[in-house]
Amino acid sequence: ATFSSNNSKLDNELSLKMSGLPFKATEKEMKEFFLPEAKCLSVKVILNKDGRPSGDAIASFEDKENVEAALKKDREHLGSRFVVLSR
């Protein structure tokens, strides 16, 4: 695979959108949400137009295996809310 031609496609395959996050959740908590099934490399919190957390975030993973494993956590709870995962 060439990495130069289309990086965004590669990134999309190795990331998941997290929706319905508690507003108080930290990036650390979001990354730990996927453990032990998958190792999340980074989480980017999406802010709304007021600059506050929107309840959505993009979680990035090392490889497809981790993404597949992470998807098993779909609709599991983080704090009091359940998190919806989507590609």
Side-chain angles (χ1 to χ4, degrees):
T2 63
F3 293 106
S4 56
S5 59
N6 189 353
N7 236 343
S8 62
K9 180 179 180 296
L10 190 78
D11 291 346
N12 289 344
E13 283 180 16
L14 299 179
S15 60
L16 294 174
K17 183 177 181 198
M18 304 173 76
S19 307
L21 291 161
F23 297 117
K24 291 192 179 80
T26 63
E27 288 184 26
K28 183 174 185 282
E29 287 171 324
M30 292 176 202
K31 285 167 79 169
E32 287 173 353
F33 169 78
F34 294 104
L35 296 172
E37 283 81 355
K39 182 175 183 285
C40 177
L41 297 179
S42 67
V43 176
K44 184 172 189 285
V45 176
I46 299 168
L47 303 178
N48 63 19
K49 59 184 190 305
D50 302 322
R52 293 195 196 88
S54 62
D56 292 349
I58 304 294
S60 300
F61 301 89
E62 200 168 21
D63 51 37
K64 286 200 175 102
E65 287 72 27
N66 272 291
V67 173
E68 293 302 323
L71 277 168
K72 296 189 173 89
K73 306 286 278 191
D74 185 35
R75 299 189 189 276
E76 287 200 13
H77 281 77
L78 178 61
S80 59
R81 307 195 42 186
F82 69 89
V83 178
V84 178
L85 301 175
S86 54
R87 290 184 185 277

